[in-house]
Amino acid sequence: SARRAERRLTDLVAERADLDRQERADEEILAEADSWLAEWETTRARLRARIESAQEATGRAEQLAERREPARRRLDAARRRDRLTEEADAAQRQALASAEAAVEARAHWLDLKEQRLNGIAAELAAGLADGEPCAVCGATDHPAPARKVAGHVDREAEERALADHQRADERRAEDERHLSAVREALAAAGAEAGDTPADVLAREAEEVEREYRQARAAASALHAAQEELRHAEQEHERRTAARQQAEVRAAARVGHRERLESERAALEEELAQARGTADSVAARAAQLERWAARLTEAAEAVRTAEETAQRLKEADARLADAAFRAGFDTPQAAAAALLDDTAHRELQRRLDARQAEEAAVRAVLAEADTAA
C-alpha cells in the first residue's frame, strides 16, 4: 500500500508538472491574445479608415470619370477649333481667289463673245458659196463678203472661254461650299470648346486624368482592405475564443490543483506513517523485508527443530528396537558392545580369509574330477 501510495505520489508530481506546463502554455496564449486584442480597436479603426478612404476614392473616381470624357472632348474640340480656324482662313483665301478667277474667266468669256458677235459677219461669209443662198439675206449673189481680221474670235475660242468660265465658276462654288463647311465645323468646335486656349484645356484634362488615376489607384485598395478587415475580424474571434478557453482551462486547473494538493497531503501523511523512523519508504520497506526474512528464517528453524525432534524420537525408537533384537537390553548396552576399529579390522580380515577359503573349496568341488 505504501509503495502504491509512493507511486501515486510520483504520478501526482508528474501531473502537477503537466499542469504547470499547461498553465505556462495558457499564460503565453493569454499574453499573446491580450497583446493582440489590446491593439484591436486601433487595428479595426485603421482598416475601416482605409475602407472609407477607398470608398471615397471610388466615388471620386466615378465623378472624375464623368469629367474625363467631357474634358477630352472639349480639348479635342479646341484643337479642332484652332485647326479649323487656320483652315477657314486658308479656305477663305482660296474662295476669294477662286471667286476672282471666276469673275476674270466670265469677263474673258463675255469679252470673247462680244468680239465674236462683232466679227460674226466674217464668220458667216466664210460659209458663202456662189449660187448658194445667203443664210441671212437669201441672196445667191455675194459681191462683197466680209473678211476676217487679225485676232478674230471664232466659235471654238468662245466655247473654250465659256468652258474655262464654267470650270472657274464650279471651283468658286466648290471653294465656297468648302469654306461654308469649314466655318460650320469651326462654329461647332467653337461652341463646344469655347474661347479657352487649347493648352489651358490640355492642362485641365491632364489634371483630371491625373486625379482620376490617383483615385482609381486609391479605390483599387478597397477589396484588399475589406479582405484584411475580414481576416482581422476572424482573427479577433479566434483570439477571443482562445482567451476564453484558456481562462476556462485555468479555472478548471484551480480545482484540479486543489484536488491534487489534497490527495498529495493525504498520501504524504500515509507515507509518513508508513516510513516511521526510516528515511524513506524504500528504507522502511527494506527494513520490513529484512524483518520478514528473519521471521521466515525463525519459522523455518522452528519447523526444522520440530521435524528434527520427531525424527530423533523415531530414531530412538528404532534404535531401542534394534538393540532389543540384537539381544541387548538398551541401546547403551549395544553401544558398549561395539567393537573398536582394530578388533573390527581383525574380524573383518578373518572373515575375508574364511570367505576366500570357502570360495576355493567350492571351486575345487565344482571340478568334474572332484565330483567323480
Side-chain angles (χ1 to χ4, degrees):
S1 176
R3 288 191 174 181
R4 284 197 302 272
E6 193 172 43
R7 287 194 297 272
R8 178 55 184 159
L9 185 60
T10 302
D11 292 341
L12 289 178
V13 172
E15 250 182 278
R16 176 64 181 273
D18 187 54
L19 285 178
D20 291 340
R21 285 193 298 272
Q22 293 177 10
E23 185 174 11
R24 287 192 296 273
D26 283 340
E27 286 176 352
E28 291 179 0
I29 292 173
L30 286 171
E32 290 179 0
D34 289 341
S35 175
W36 193 93
L37 292 172
E39 299 294 328
W40 166 239
E41 293 301 331
T42 302
T43 301
R44 181 169 58 179
R46 175 177 56 80
L47 292 175
R48 285 181 174 174
R50 283 178 54 190
I51 291 173
E52 291 174 359
S53 176
Q55 290 173 338
E56 291 175 359
T58 301
R60 287 199 309 275
E62 292 174 354
Q63 294 173 357
L64 290 168
E66 295 177 356
R67 292 173 52 194
R68 250 172 105 222
E69 189 59 29
R72 283 200 297 264
R73 287 199 304 267
R74 192 178 179 195
L75 175 60
D76 293 341
R79 288 170 175 169
R80 286 197 309 274
R81 178 200 62 195
D82 295 345
R83 176 175 54 79
L84 289 172
T85 299
E86 296 177 359
E87 288 186 14
D89 292 341
Q92 185 174 8
R93 288 192 298 272
Q94 179 63 34
L96 289 174
S98 61
E100 291 175 359
V103 170
E104 291 175 0
R106 185 174 185 279
H108 179 62
W109 167 64
L110 292 175
D111 184 53
L112 290 182
K113 184 176 182 180
E114 184 179 358
Q115 292 180 26
R116 184 186 173 213
L117 290 174
N118 292 333
I120 193 67
E123 186 175 339
L124 292 174
L128 294 176
D130 291 338
E132 295 291 332
C134 175
V136 177
C137 64
T140 57
D141 185 20
H142 312 294
R147 302 296 179 183
K148 292 182 179 180
V149 297
H152 175 75
V153 177
D154 56 12
R155 185 183 187 89
E156 292 179 358
E158 180 189 356
E159 289 178 352
R160 284 196 303 272
L162 176 59
D164 292 340
H165 161 60
Q166 290 173 342
R167 284 193 298 272
D169 195 54
E170 289 175 358
R171 282 196 299 271
R172 175 197 60 75
E174 182 178 355
D175 289 342
E176 287 180 353
R177 285 193 299 272
H178 175 64
L179 175 60
S180 177
V182 171
R183 283 176 173 173
E184 183 177 353
L186 175 60
E192 185 175 2
D195 297 331
T196 307
D199 56 347
V200 174
L201 294 177
R203 287 194 296 272
E204 292 178 355
E206 289 174 0
E207 181 64 20
V208 170
E209 186 68 25
R210 183 185 62 79
E211 292 179 1
Y212 173 74
R213 287 196 300 270
Q214 290 177 349
R216 281 292 303 274
S220 64
L222 176 60
H223 179 70
Q226 289 173 336
E227 284 297 307
E228 189 173 351
L229 177 59
R230 184 175 65 82
H231 289 310
E233 288 174 343
Q234 292 175 348
E235 183 66 13
H236 176 264
E237 292 177 0
R238 188 186 70 79
R239 297 272 186 172
T240 302
R243 190 177 188 282
Q244 291 173 349
Q245 292 170 2
E247 290 175 345
V248 169
R249 288 194 298 270
R253 275 195 303 273
V254 172
H256 192 185
R257 196 185 300 276
E258 290 176 353
R259 290 192 297 274
L260 290 179
E261 289 297 328
S262 177
E263 186 177 359
R264 184 183 64 81
L267 289 173
E268 287 181 348
E269 183 178 356
E270 181 182 348
L271 289 173
Q273 294 177 357
R275 282 196 302 269
T277 59
D279 294 333
S280 65
V281 172
R284 180 63 173 170
Q287 183 182 31
L288 293 176
E289 286 174 356
R290 288 194 299 272
W291 289 355
R294 290 176 184 176
L295 289 174
T296 301
E297 290 173 0
E300 185 67 26
V302 169
R303 284 194 299 272
T304 302
E306 290 175 350
E307 291 174 358
T308 302
Q310 182 63 30
R311 289 198 303 273
L312 179 60
K313 183 178 179 181
E314 293 173 355
D316 286 341
R318 289 196 304 273
L319 179 60
D321 184 61
F324 179 75
R325 287 197 306 271
F328 297 99
D329 294 333
T330 63
Q332 289 77 13
L338 184 65
L339 296 175
D340 59 13
D341 290 341
T342 301
H344 185 274
R345 284 196 297 272
E346 179 59 25
L347 289 175
Q348 186 64 46
R349 184 188 62 74
R350 289 173 60 191
L351 179 58
D352 291 341
R354 289 287 183 91
Q355 288 176 346
E357 185 179 356
E358 181 182 5
V361 171
R362 288 183 182 279
V364 173
L365 289 176
E367 292 177 357
D369 293 341
T370 304

